Amino acid sequence: MSVLIAPSILSADFAALGAAVAAVERGGADLIHVDVMDGHFVPNITMGPPVVKSLHRVATVPLDVHLMIEEPDRYIDAFVDAGAAMISVHVEILPHLHRTVHAIKALGARAGVVLNPSTPVGAIHEIAADVDFVLVMSVNPGFGGQTFIPRSESKLREVRALLDAAGSVAPIEIDGGVDRHNIARVVAAGARMVVAGSAIFNTPDPERATRAMAPALKDAPDLFTDEQSLGDMEKAGWSDTPRCFLGNHEFARLPEPRGVRTICGISCGSRKPGESDGADITRLAGNRRNIESRVNYLCGRLNLGRQRL
Ligand code: DX5
Ligand code: ZN
């Protein structure tokens, strides 16, 4: 199944963000999650567009910018200019959420909407068909290192059901208190992008901690076949992509459509029934021909040219 790991640099050493990004990328990070806080919407202040711009210079994976600020509309342009590939905004503060979501998309970034723990799932009912992804907060936003709120698990299922009912195959991201012990559960509940801050950076070896997230997924039941997840991503418009992943390992870079910054978490393993992606990664890593034929197949399906392997 396709699951993207998004280390949150909120818990990294802010004096060495470049090194932090490099470490988690070596560990297989698929996205870099950037928490922007203004001291108003949440009781903490972090970083703004200049920091995102600097991160963009060093990161090779897309920047996933989570705006925890009161007036996101004023800053969306600046964050996209700075290099944000994904921008998520909180439903709690936006009276014109539809306008904001489409403004983000019009700028060429992926638009996500975020639900706080106390916000009912129904708050995204009218916007479900428009969003590129939904972020479910599993802690109250503002700080790293908090405890996962258990109710978030059933909330993931409810969000998935709401999106399905709306005909949307937008992936769900989960953020807060996720570690290698509960990642399988949140993925089983429907999360396809997983943010982890303290579980990665409050360790002596963030590279290793990032790498440890993927094997922890093997306990999650297989919810999608390759074909299903590919079809879902295509339907969601996530397939016009510069990147291709084998599990969490990028192994091919696809041509980037002009002006579009997107990502894709296609599972490209040639999986046999009952075999998990985790097992495939190791086995297929040494089987170049297998991977190449799979990538060729996917590129054909996605109408993309041949890519560099
Ligand atoms: C919380 C932030 C999270 C935070 C997660 O407000 O949105 O992204 O960094 O940190 P952990 O994984 O430590 O809960
Ligand atoms: Zn976040």
Side-chain angles (χ1 to χ4, degrees):
M1 83 184 59
S2 308
V3 177
L4 304 185
I5 305 295
S8 163
I9 54 165
L10 182 63
S11 296
D13 175 0
F14 277 23
L17 285 181
V21 167
V24 296
E25 286 187 354
R26 284 195 304 276
D30 299 300
L31 308 168
I32 301 296
H33 186 81
V34 183
D35 289 305
V36 176
M37 305 184 187
D38 66 351
H40 292 280
F41 179 63
V42 290
N44 197 1
I45 301 176
T46 56
M47 59 195 105
V51 176
V52 172
K53 192 172 180 182
S54 297
L55 291 169
H56 187 55
R57 277 207 317 271
V58 297
T60 64
V61 298
L63 299 178
D64 164 30
V65 176
H66 175 190
L67 296 183
M68 288 160 276
I69 60 180
E70 267 187 358
E71 296 185 80
D73 293 321
R74 288 176 57 191
Y75 302 98
I76 286 165
D77 282 45
F79 280 109
V80 175
D81 278 352
M86 299 162 61
I87 293 189
S88 53
V89 292
H90 276 258
V91 304
E92 298 84 7
I93 32 142
L94 283 164
H96 310 295
L97 188 57
H98 182 274
R99 178 187 293 152
T100 305
V101 162
H102 284 279
I104 295 169
K105 292 168 99 162
L107 290 167
R110 292 288 173 189
V113 292
V114 194
L115 294 166
N116 272 337
S118 65
T119 305
V121 171
I124 59 167
H125 186 270
E126 299 303 323
I127 200 76
D130 297 87
V131 297
D132 291 317
F133 65 102
V134 175
L135 196 170
V136 172
M137 287 307 302
S138 39
V139 298
N140 288 294
F143 304 95
Q146 302 180 79
T147 304
F148 182 86
I149 298 171
R151 151 76 177 131
S152 315
E153 212 178 305
S154 55
K155 194 169 185 179
L156 283 168
R157 294 181 205 280
E158 287 174 26
V159 170
R160 184 70 267 156
L162 185 147
L163 289 168
D164 289 349
S168 168
V169 289
I172 307 174
E173 183 170 33
I174 184 90
D175 184 5
V178 180
D179 57 25
R180 64 192 170 85
H181 303 294
N182 60 11
I183 186 171
R185 292 175 65 96
V186 297
V187 168
R192 289 295 174 271
M193 297 187 280
V194 177
V195 177
S198 52
I200 286 175
F201 288 107
N202 288 358
T203 70
D205 189 342
E207 176 185 339
R208 191 171 171 186
T210 306
R211 197 171 287 121
M213 298 297 270
L217 282 173
K218 72 180 185 319
D219 298 327
D222 258 351
L223 298 183
F224 296 107
T225 64
D226 284 350
E227 285 304 313
Q228 282 170 326
S229 56
L230 174 61
D232 285 351
M233 298 301 259
E234 279 178 305
K235 269 192 264 165
W238 283 70
S239 55
D240 49 345
T241 167
R243 293 176 183 283
C244 202
F245 295 89
L246 173 63
N248 294 311
H249 295 250
E250 183 185 356
F251 66 96
R253 185 162 298 203
L254 307 180
E256 187 165 0
R258 191 188 298 271
V260 182
R261 274 170 287 182
T262 53
I263 57 144
C264 181
I266 301 169
S267 169
C268 297
S270 67
R271 190 168 54 203
K272 292 179 189 146
E275 211 174 18
S276 76
D277 282 349
D280 282 353
I281 290 166
T282 331
R283 188 170 59 76
L284 289 178
N287 189 344
R288 191 180 170 89
R289 189 182 301 170
N290 204 352
I291 292 173
E292 282 192 345
S293 63
R294 184 70 181 149
V295 170
N296 282 336
Y297 168 69
L298 288 172
C299 287
R301 282 285 307 272
L302 302 177
N303 293 320
L304 295 167
R306 184 75 178 89
Q307 72 301 320
R308 177 178 62 81
L309 272 178

